[in-house]
Amino acid sequence: MLKKILAITGLVLAIMTIAACTGNETPKKTEDSNHQTQEKVDAKGLEINIEQANYTDERDRDAEKVKQVLRLKMMVKNISIEEIFFDSTELQVKDNKGKQLSIYPFENMIGNIAPKKTMRGYVYFKSNDNGPYTVVYTHPITKNKYEWQVNPKK
């Protein structure tokens, strides 16, 4: 009888412990997807800011002819203690109809960023004039997605 009481007491304590632990869990934080131009976003080691979005007349002489090019001016700061590689051509841009824009091959920002250093540059996309656009950066390790809503100036 004593063994049964001890077993039931142990089972009750185990259930109470599990219930107490699950009740105190905090939900996993999801990234805010309403970032705007001029808003610095902490992307796990990188502070990313899309400073400006506009259409540009700049073209690469050797590239295919396109009607319109979307240019994003960016600032990326390494806020970690290790060198980080950043490739602006890994960004995804979708128009207001959900269609993904292709990268335009022209002086796109790419390179290693030393700790506590900042890189400024541009990234170019073949545009279809269906703005505003959603820009998405996917962290290469955590796979977290960071989004900006940009409305380019004409």
Side-chain angles (χ1 to χ4, degrees), residues 54-59 65-71 101-102 104 124-131 133 152-154:
N54 61 3
Y55 298 110
T56 181
D57 293 330
E58 293 181 76
R59 300 288 190 275
K65 302 293 183 208
V66 293
K67 180 180 176 184
Q68 190 156 289
V69 175
L70 171 67
R71 177 176 69 180
L101 304 184
S102 299
Y104 182 74
Y124 299 85
F125 293 90
K126 298 174 189 174
S127 173
N128 53 19
D129 201 19
N130 287 331
Y133 301 95
K153 300 172 186 171
K154 292 197 177 202

Side-chain angles (χ1 to χ4, degrees), residues 138-152:
T138 303
H139 192 280
I141 296 170
T142 66
K143 303 302 181 199
N144 288 348
K145 294 184 184 291
Y146 304 88
E147 295 184 7
W148 291 260
Q149 302 302 316
V150 299
N151 197 2

Side-chain angles (χ1 to χ4, degrees), residues 14-143:
I15 291 171
M16 290 175 60
T17 303
I18 292 170
C21 289
T22 58
N24 291 334
E25 288 180 13
T26 55
K28 187 177 179 181
K29 183 181 175 189
T30 58
E31 300 303 326
D32 182 10
S33 62
N34 292 322
H35 302 297
Q36 302 296 319
T37 306
Q38 293 292 328
E39 183 177 349
K40 295 177 183 176
V41 176
D42 182 353
K44 308 287 187 238
L46 293 175
E47 182 180 87
I48 302 173
N49 182 7
I50 298 176
E51 296 178 333
Q52 186 180 52
N54 61 3
Y55 298 110
T56 181
D57 293 330
E58 293 181 76
R59 300 288 190 275
D60 185 340
R61 292 186 316 211
D62 299 327
E64 67 180 277
K65 302 293 183 208
V66 293
K67 180 180 176 184
Q68 190 156 289
V69 175
L70 171 67
R71 177 176 69 180
L72 304 176
K73 182 179 180 184
M74 299 185 68
M75 182 279 307
V76 180
K77 181 178 182 179
N78 182 349
I79 54 177
S80 75
I81 58 172
E82 296 180 3
E83 185 174 82
I84 296 178
F85 178 75
F86 181 78
D87 182 357
S88 65
T89 64
E90 294 296 318
L91 293 172
Q92 293 180 348
V93 177
K94 293 183 180 179
D95 66 14
N96 62 8
K97 296 178 181 171
K99 182 180 178 194
Q100 186 167 328
L101 304 184
S102 299
I103 197 77
Y104 182 74
F106 186 73
E107 298 178 9
N108 290 296
M109 191 168 101
I110 186 171
N112 290 317
I113 307 172
K116 311 301 180 211
K117 297 295 180 184
T118 300
M119 178 190 292
R120 281 190 158 76
Y122 296 95
V123 59
Y124 299 85
F125 293 90
K126 298 174 189 174
S127 173
N128 53 19
D129 201 19
N130 287 331
Y133 301 95
T134 301
V135 180
V136 179
Y137 170 72
T138 303
H139 192 280
I141 296 170
T142 66
K143 303 302 181 199

Side-chain angles (χ1 to χ4, degrees), residues 2-14:
L2 184 59
K3 288 183 181 180
K4 287 183 180 179
I5 292 174
L6 286 174
I8 292 172
T9 305
L11 184 59
V12 169
L13 286 174

